[in-house]
Amino acid sequence: LCQPKKHLGGLMTASLVVVAVLLEINFSVIGRYVDYLVEEQGVKSIFVNGTTGEGLSLSISERRQVAEEWVTKGRNKLDQVVIHVGALSLKESQELARHAAEIGADGIAAIAPFFLKPWNKDVLINFLKEVAAAAPALPFYYYHIPALTGVKIRAEELLAGIQDKIPTFQGLKFSDTDLLDFGQCVDQNRQRQFAFLFGVDEQLLSALVMGATGAVGSTYNYLGKKTNQMLEAFEQKDFSTALNYQFCIQRFINFVVKLGFGVSQTKAIMTLVSGIPMGPPRLPLQKASREFTDNAEAKLKSLDFLPFTGLKDRNLEACS
């Protein structure tokens, strides 16, 4: 079996695509982005060109360039760079998979094709098998996100016997709220060294209890340090402290979800917290409003996720 250089676990952030003038990608700040994640958030693994990275809104050439830049700038700094290579076209997925291997990525992942959809497990596995075979030396991960793909094949069902068809299969990114499905993925595959990476940031603690080996999420771009504290408390079996951290994170996510929260808003928050200009999203997404950014900033400060300009601004909402 194909084995990853390091077992994929812990915290992995979903990288944003940085856009400058005329909606062209600003590759020059990716090195700064890497340093910020490692030094300020304690995040050393990256999932590139996924949902948060607007991978499916980029051209194949752009996706290749973004992947190259993350691998190059992350060398000797990041533990894992996993490239999402999913596409509607099998040929394009295979091209991106081969490219990821050529540039020295640590793994590849793919979503299910979502226009002409696979209608059962076997059809989906046949598609994923062809993608994985284009990079036979790289660990392959399935990116399960049914709310966006519309492919409702349960992950538990997909995993049954999958390594017989895809020898390089090493795990999945599970971006769904169905904890029954997730729990059964873990329970029925205990003898295998799969990576079970949970992708719903506000439910991570629940997934850890059920056996998640790590997490991939967008909020770890700016809440990575707080989430790492939760992971440390969980590993030390200090479940009360871990729960406090999860509730603290939920307070912020619950607040922004009510305002309207997605990739555009994540870019605005990341710009605010990191100081790195993330730029606007690609159409059809719209830039986050000034009102959203102002409200998010106030909430971040109230939770002590951002420094205050003055002590008079403090309230009792800050997380311990």
Side-chain angles (χ1 to χ4, degrees), residues 103-161:
I103 63 176
D106 297 292
I108 56 172
I111 57 170
F114 55 87
F115 185 68
L116 300 176
K117 299 180 180 67
W119 61 90
N120 62 33
K121 163 192 168 177
D122 293 334
V123 175
L124 177 53
I125 286 180
N126 285 339
F127 180 89
L128 299 175
K129 176 183 176 181
E130 295 300 321
V131 176
L138 286 186
F140 177 81
Y141 304 92
Y142 173 55
Y143 181 5
H144 179 67
I145 185 164
L148 290 185
T149 63
V151 176
K152 305 297 185 181
I153 298 165
R154 289 172 65 81
E156 169 224 334
E157 181 185 352
L158 187 76
L159 262 56

Side-chain angles (χ1 to χ4, degrees), residues 108-301:
I108 56 172
I111 57 170
F114 55 87
F115 185 68
L116 300 176
K117 299 180 180 67
W119 61 90
N120 62 33
K121 163 192 168 177
D122 293 334
V123 175
L124 177 53
I125 286 180
N126 285 339
F127 180 89
L128 299 175
K129 176 183 176 181
E130 295 300 321
V131 176
L138 286 186
F140 177 81
Y141 304 92
Y142 173 55
Y143 181 5
H144 179 67
I145 185 164
L148 290 185
T149 63
V151 176
K152 305 297 185 181
I153 298 165
R154 289 172 65 81
E156 169 224 334
E157 181 185 352
L158 187 76
L159 262 56
I162 193 170
Q163 275 191 330
D164 296 334
K165 301 285 182 67
I166 307 175
T168 56
F169 181 83
Q170 289 293 322
L172 79 162
K173 177 181 187 284
F174 189 97
S175 294
D176 190 32
T177 57
D178 186 347
L179 287 172
L180 173 59
D181 190 16
F182 180 75
Q184 287 305 292
C185 287
V186 177
D187 184 36
Q188 296 183 26
N189 293 279
R190 293 188 187 193
Q191 305 307 314
R192 298 174 178 84
Q193 295 298 308
F194 288 162
F196 297 105
L197 308 171
F198 199 66
V200 183
D201 304 7
E202 62 272 22
Q203 294 184 354
L204 176 55
L205 185 57
S206 299
L208 291 172
V209 172
M210 300 187 82
T213 61
V216 184
S218 62
T219 66
Y220 310 140
N221 278 286
Y222 51 88
L223 297 181
K225 183 176 180 180
K226 189 65 66 176
T227 307
N228 272 321
Q229 290 172 327
M230 184 182 79
L231 291 177
E232 289 166 13
F234 180 80
E235 289 170 5
Q236 293 167 9
K237 296 184 171 25
D238 184 353
F239 301 127
S240 177
T241 298
L243 185 60
N244 284 338
Y245 282 127
Q246 181 71 95
F247 283 156
C248 184
I249 291 163
Q250 283 187 347
R251 283 176 216 151
F252 178 72
I253 295 175
N254 188 51
F255 178 79
V256 292
V257 163
K258 290 176 181 177
L259 297 177
F261 185 56
V263 172
S264 307
Q265 291 72 28
T266 297
K267 296 186 88 166
I269 295 169
M270 181 60 172
T271 298
L272 176 70
V273 175
S274 70
I276 302 170
M278 291 289 153
R282 287 271 173 95
L283 290 170
L285 298 181
Q286 301 292 313
K287 183 179 178 181
S289 68
R290 183 72 243 178
E291 180 184 10
F292 171 88
T293 305
D294 289 345
N295 285 328
E297 180 177 13
K299 190 67 172 180
L300 286 164
K301 286 181 176 179

Side-chain angles (χ1 to χ4, degrees), residues 20 26 46 81 105 205 268 272:
N26 184 4
I46 306 292
V81 178
L205 185 57
L272 176 70

Side-chain angles (χ1 to χ4, degrees), residues 298-318:
K299 190 67 172 180
L300 286 164
K301 286 181 176 179
S302 77
L303 292 166
D304 243 359
F305 293 163
L306 272 179
F308 285 91
T309 54
L311 291 176
K312 61 180 172 53
D313 296 321
R314 295 185 70 95
N315 63 28
L316 297 177
E317 193 178 12

